[in-house]
Amino acid sequence: MAEGKPKTSPKAIKFLFGGLAGLSAGLLRQATYTTTRLGIYTILFEKMTGEDGRPPNFLLKALIGMTAGATGAFVGTPAEVALIRMTADGRLPADQRRGYSNVFNALARITREEGVTTLWRGCIPTMARAVVVNAAQLASYSQSKQALLDSGYFGDDILCHFCASMISGLVTTAASMPVDIVKTRIQNMRMIDGKPEYKNGLEVLMKVIRNEGFFSLWKGFTPYYARLGPHTVLTFIFLEQMNRMYKTHVLDR
């Protein structure tokens, strides 16, 4: 008897479309948060560079990174809230799932059902995370790049950008994981008996340390770095190349 065509299970279809829905939120987050923070950092970095071409010191780089990160986080928080909810939806019981079809459906329903301010729920810990991440990532990249160039063994090329961004990714992973836990749990928290699950970020940290241990704040360090490292490398390599093309084909004309 001839075998019939293999059937695609409903679970597989749901997983596929759930992944695509989460992808739309992830893309919107990158389009808002990442472009804002990198644009502001680049502009402020150039303005703070001395007339002799000497870049700002490390503390000033960190301050510029904090400013860029906080601004980008505020702009990107609505997409971040949608992304967190859509990613977690499949793990919830069937009667608690929100069933957002895409990021724009999520944003519209959150506004309609819970109020527009809900789009910025967790904005403070999100901005706190962005301040830490960007102070670590952007400042450590600029500082590492400067140190590599000053060593005399590197030129201002892709190899230098790659090495500096790998160092930046390591520093950023260590600095950002604790605040990332706080941000994610607050954004994904539910109301229990009419009250929020957590009062603030400090309560999240205390509960995690008390129930799971201090070093649980860095649980999954290796896979986190395996994700963040390549992301950091590609981000800075593309940013450097785009800046170079802009200066060559626009400013030098």
Side-chain angles (χ1 to χ4, degrees):
M1 183 171 60
E3 295 184 358
K5 294 182 179 180
K7 296 182 178 180
T8 304
S9 69
K11 288 185 177 180
I13 295 175
K14 189 173 183 179
F15 175 81
L16 174 61
F17 282 97
L20 291 176
L23 177 63
S24 69
L27 290 174
L28 182 62
R29 178 185 177 276
Q30 293 298 329
T32 53
Y33 166 66
T34 302
T35 55
T36 300
R37 73 184 180 97
L38 291 179
I40 291 177
Y41 182 80
T42 301
I43 292 171
L44 293 179
F45 187 89
E46 291 179 352
K47 288 186 177 296
M48 296 297 178
T49 299
E51 294 181 359
D52 58 352
R54 191 67 180 174
N57 59 46
F58 181 77
L59 290 179
L60 193 52
K61 290 172 186 171
L63 182 60
I64 295 171
M66 290 178 184
T67 303
T71 307
F74 181 82
V75 173
T77 294
E80 180 89 5
V81 171
L83 176 62
I84 293 295
R85 290 189 175 195
M86 294 170 74
T87 302
D89 209 38
R91 299 193 296 270
L92 296 174
D95 60 332
Q96 296 181 17
R97 291 175 186 168
R98 300 176 175 100
Y100 302 133
S101 58
N102 55 61
V103 65
F104 300 107
N105 174 255
L107 296 176
R109 281 184 51 192
I110 290 171
T111 302
R112 184 173 64 251
E113 297 169 7
E114 304 174 56
V116 68
T117 57
T118 307
L119 294 174
W120 279 270
R121 175 182 289 175
C123 183
I124 299 302
T126 301
M127 292 176 70
R129 175 189 181 273
V131 165
V132 173
V133 168
N134 286 276
Q137 185 183 60
L138 299 175
S140 64
Y141 173 78
S142 297
Q143 195 69 20
S144 299
K145 177 185 172 183
Q146 183 181 338
L148 293 174
L149 292 174
D150 290 345
S151 70
Y153 295 104
F154 291 85
D156 191 2
D157 52 22
I158 290 182
L159 177 61
C160 176
H161 305 157
F162 173 83
C163 294
S165 56
M166 287 297 289
I167 296 171
S168 173
L170 188 63
V171 173
T172 307
T173 300
S176 66
M177 288 191 71
V179 288
D180 202 33
I181 290 174
V182 171
K183 175 191 69 69
T184 301
R185 296 199 181 189
I186 286 182
Q187 287 185 325
N188 202 40
M189 69 179 177
R190 304 194 68 84
M191 302 298 289
I192 300 176
D193 297 328
K195 297 181 180 180
E197 187 176 359
Y198 304 105
K199 294 180 181 178
N200 50 52
L202 181 61
E203 184 181 7
V204 176
L205 277 178
M206 296 304 296
K207 284 187 175 181
V208 170
I209 293 173
R210 183 172 63 249
N211 299 330
E212 304 172 39
F214 178 74
F215 289 103
S216 65
L217 296 175
W218 290 275
K219 185 183 294 182
F221 183 92
T222 302
Y224 193 101
Y225 179 64
R227 177 187 69 84
L228 188 62
H231 177 270
T232 303
V233 169
L234 292 175
T235 297
F236 284 118
I237 286 180
F238 277 110
L239 179 64
E240 292 279 7
Q241 296 305 310
M242 291 176 69
N243 283 339
R244 180 171 296 176
M245 291 174 62
Y246 176 74
K247 291 176 182 178
T248 302
H249 300 289
V250 178
L251 296 183
D252 293 345
R253 282 188 172 184

